[in-house]
Amino acid sequence: MTIEYNLVKIKSALPVSVQLVAVSKTKSNEDIMEAYRAGQRIFGENKVQELVRKWESLPKDIEWHFIGHLQSNKVRMIAPFVAMIHSVDSFKVLKTINDEAKLVYRVIPCLLQFHIAEEESKFGFSHEEAIQLLSSIKLTELENVTIAGVMGMATFTQDTTLINKEFSTLKEIFQTLKEVFFSGNANFREISMGMSDDYLIAIENGSTMIRVGSTIFGERCHI
Ligand SMILES: *Cc1c(COP(=O)(O)O)cnc(C)c1O
C-alpha cells in the first residue's frame, strides 16, 4: 500500500476533533514528501538531530512535533521551530524550554507526559508528581511555554482491556488537572494518546491527537 493510501484510510475514520501526527522517525525525506503531497502537514520525530536535519531540508510549512525523550542540553536546537513538544517529563526540561523559547521570541506549546503503562521503561510523571509540580510553580512566570495538555503511551500488549484502562486513566488525569489548575485556560485542551496499534481505543477514550507511524509509513527497520 502507498503512503497516500494509508493516510487517506486513517483520516477517513478520524473524528474532526482528532489531529493526526504522522510519526516519521527513521523515515526518509522522500517518504515524508509523499505524505506531504497527500496533504499531511503535522509530523512527529523523537530524535533531536534527525528532526533538525529534516526541518532544514523539508518545506517550511510543516508543523514539527517532538515526541521523544528530550534532554535539556538539546532544547536549544529545536526551540526556533518546533511546533509542539509532547514529552515534557520534568520541571527542569520545562524550564529549559521556556528559557530557550524566550531567547528566540517564541511561545512553545508543551504537553506533560504521563507514565500510564505497566512497563518500567516509559518516561513520564505520575498523577501525584504532576500535581506537586503544578502546585509548586507559578505557570505565569513561564511566559514562553504553554501547557497544552497531556500525553501518554499504553502498554505494548494485545490486552485491549488493559489499554482501555490506561487511556481512561490519562483522560481522568487530564480532567482533574483541567479542573484544578487550568479551569478557564483554553490552551490546556490536548490529550495525545494512540499509536498504530491502539489509536482507535485511544479515540474512544477521548484522544485529541494520535501519533501514528508504521501504519502510515510501513514498519521501521530495527537497528
Ligand atoms: C514511534 C512512536 C509513535 C508511533 O508508533 P507506531 O507504532 O509506529 O505508530 C508514537 N509515539 C511515540 C512517542 C513514538 O516514539
Side-chain angles (χ1 to χ4, degrees):
M1 288 306 152
T2 64
I3 290 169
E4 177 175 19
Y5 174 90
N6 296 336
L7 262 175
V8 169
K9 190 153 172 245
I10 293 171
K11 289 188 109 162
S12 66
L14 284 191
V16 286
S17 57
V18 179
Q19 284 195 300
L20 172 62
V21 179
V23 176
S24 49
K25 62 191 188 195
T26 79
K27 297 299 172 181
S28 66
N29 283 3
E30 287 70 36
D31 284 353
I32 295 173
M33 281 310 295
E34 189 177 338
Y36 180 89
R37 281 190 297 269
Q40 183 65 26
R41 289 295 180 275
I42 306 178
F43 291 88
E45 291 283 337
N46 69 340
K47 295 269 187 329
V48 167
Q49 276 92 345
E50 183 177 350
L51 170 54
V52 170
R53 214 168 48 234
K54 287 174 175 173
W55 169 68
E56 283 172 344
S57 55
L58 287 162
K60 288 295 175 281
D61 63 341
I62 290 179
E63 242 188 63
W64 292 105
H65 288 214
F66 190 79
I67 62 172
H69 182 63
L70 183 56
Q71 290 168 291
S72 299
N73 61 2
K74 293 192 176 160
V75 171
R76 179 163 296 180
M77 296 170 70
I78 60 173
F81 66 89
V82 72
M84 181 174 277
I85 296 174
H86 288 232
S87 43
V88 171
D89 60 1
S90 70
F91 175 68
K92 184 179 174 206
V93 80
L94 183 65
K95 175 82 170 82
T96 308
I97 295 166
N98 181 72
D99 296 349
E100 294 294 341
K102 192 181 177 91
L103 291 176
V104 291
Y105 310 102
R106 296 192 68 220
V107 176
I108 299 179
C110 293
L111 305 180
L112 301 178
Q113 181 172 355
F114 284 85
H115 179 113
I116 53 170
E118 287 193 334
E119 290 145 19
E120 277 296 323
S121 63
K122 303 265 160 84
F123 293 100
F125 293 107
S126 68
H127 195 175
E128 292 72 29
E129 287 166 344
I131 287 175
Q132 247 175 22
L133 170 74
L134 293 169
S135 312
S136 65
I137 62 173
K138 287 210 186 67
L139 284 174
T140 48
E141 285 174 8
L142 298 178
E143 290 179 326
N144 295 82
V145 290
T146 56
I147 310 282
V150 301
M151 179 272 224
M153 272 184 273
T155 304
F156 185 68
T157 175
Q158 307 292 330
D159 180 354
T160 54
T161 311
L162 179 61
I163 297 172
N164 248 304
K165 190 171 128 246
E166 292 172 350
F167 284 151
S168 76
T169 298
L170 187 59
K171 169 85 193 225
E172 280 166 26
I173 291 173
F174 170 83
Q175 277 167 330
T176 308
L177 297 183
K178 175 112 193 138
E179 277 165 33
V180 178
F181 299 102
F182 299 97
S183 69
N185 179 341
N187 291 323
F188 191 82
R189 58 169 180 244
E190 305 293 355
I191 305 177
S192 167
M193 60 184 184
M195 307 178 20
S196 286
D197 294 333
D198 57 20
Y199 71 86
L200 292 173
I201 307 175
I203 292 168
E204 284 169 20
N205 283 284
S207 173
T208 65
M209 280 188 163
I210 58 171
R211 310 176 310 271
V212 177
S214 38
T215 298
I216 299 170
F217 294 106
E219 291 299 326
R220 289 176 293 274
C221 303
H222 293 279
I223 328 159

